[in-house]
Amino acid sequence: MQIESNKSLKEFNTFNIDVKAKSFVSVNSVETLKEALRNYATEDKFILGGGSNILLTSDLDVLVLHINLRGIKILEESEEEVVLEVQAGENWHEFVCYCLEAGYGGVENLSLIPGNVGTAPIQNIGAYGVELKDVFVRCEAIEIKTRQQRTFTKTDCKFGYRDSIFKNEAKGHYIITSVALKLTKKNHKLSTSYGAIRDELAKEGKTQPGIQDISRAVIAIRKSKLPDPSELGNSGSFFKNPVVSAEEFQQFRNKHPEAPYYEVSATEFKIPAGWLIEQAGFKGQRFGDAGVHEKQALVLVNYGEATGEQIRELAMTIQQKVRDLFGIYIEPEVTII
Ligand code: EPU
């Protein structure tokens, strides 16, 4: 086990924030993970996955464990379906590409989402009508305190919109080491209901799309709206879309009949935070090197040398302005550290 001191985390977070870790270990086996947890039982630790959903606002005066477990294995297979066990450190999009090449369906709508497989369950990643929970079977995790392995079934995970047990009661207690996902080998259940996907497929003249076509459409849509973290630091959507009660929604709608919305249930409505932020005048605005993306107001960006603190301040300013204008609280999706 190799420990590095005073290590810059700039390459390990997609916002490209240059903070330092007091000490840093790259974990490439469950044994190394358990050894690190045993040897440094009393030290404060930070678990780092793909670094795509965090905003680092100061140096981390702790031991950083970078989860770098790799490998994909078939656990079960039939004519119709396959269950794969994917190690936590596998890059999510590379995993999607592996599935597309093998002809496995279920994750094509989740193409190009930054981050790693092991962190996907934490926020139940989702895009274009599909969420991780739709293909999730279970995940394996190590409890930090006891170093015991524990299996979390889909029910255990308590998945919600960008939410799971790992953001709530289990937060900070477990390290996910692998995820089991069930995918289809034929009769794929394609999800093309999302307007932008339908438009993109129609543009290409695809009336009977396959999983590759959907992935291509999703990639085209994402590339047209969302900045590539390797070119412009960002963490995808910075805020969640707020979910409001039917009563609050009615009041909002009376004042803003033009606003887009989704009906979650008869009693709950989701309002796109990107629309609220755009109406508040922030879209494309830049404050030093911290900014709001010009094509998608939900995404905050680092033009180069922004500090995490500057991006946090911008986020708080946006939150306040949206609250003042619309009376709606927008909650960050990104974890601020
Ligand atoms: N909108 C605006 N202005 C903007 C951005 C959006 O008016 O600057 C409006 C759009 O016109 C549209 C509505 O808001 O009517 C929804 O926009 P979009 O379809 O782009 O989706 P979103 O609600 O902004 C969510 C997810 C994305 C995911 C897309 C597609 C959240 C927080 N974000 O964005 O997820 O890719 O739907 O499913 O739920 C992420 O989590 O990092 C992420 C990118």
Side-chain angles (χ1 to χ4, degrees), residues 71-73 84-90 95 117-118 177-181:
I72 302 175
K73 184 164 97 182
L84 299 176
E85 182 183 67
V86 192
Q87 297 300 305
E90 287 291 336
F95 166 67
V117 172
T177 53
S178 69
V179 180
L181 303 170

Side-chain angles (χ1 to χ4, degrees), residues 52-53 109-111 113-114 123-131 161-162 194-197 218 221-222 225-226 234-242 258-262 270-279 283-284 292-299 331 333-334:
S52 64
N53 207 42
N109 293 52
L110 305 178
S111 296
I113 294 187
Q123 57 152 337
N124 181 26
I125 58 169
Y128 309 107
V130 173
E131 288 184 327
Y161 164 57
R162 296 294 192 279
Y194 203 89
I197 293 197
V218 166
I221 300 163
R222 288 188 76 98
K225 282 196 195 170
L226 298 167
N234 76 90
S235 269
S237 302
F238 194 91
F239 298 99
K240 289 193 210 180
N241 287 329
E258 73 291 7
Y261 66 93
Y262 324 98
K270 205 187 256 183
I271 302 169
W275 186 87
L276 299 171
I277 298 168
E278 181 172 346
Q279 297 303 308
K283 194 171 185 172
V292 179
H293 190 51
E294 56 185 9
K295 294 187 193 140
Q296 165 55 289
L298 200 47
V299 178
E331 184 194 350
E333 187 204 286
V334 167

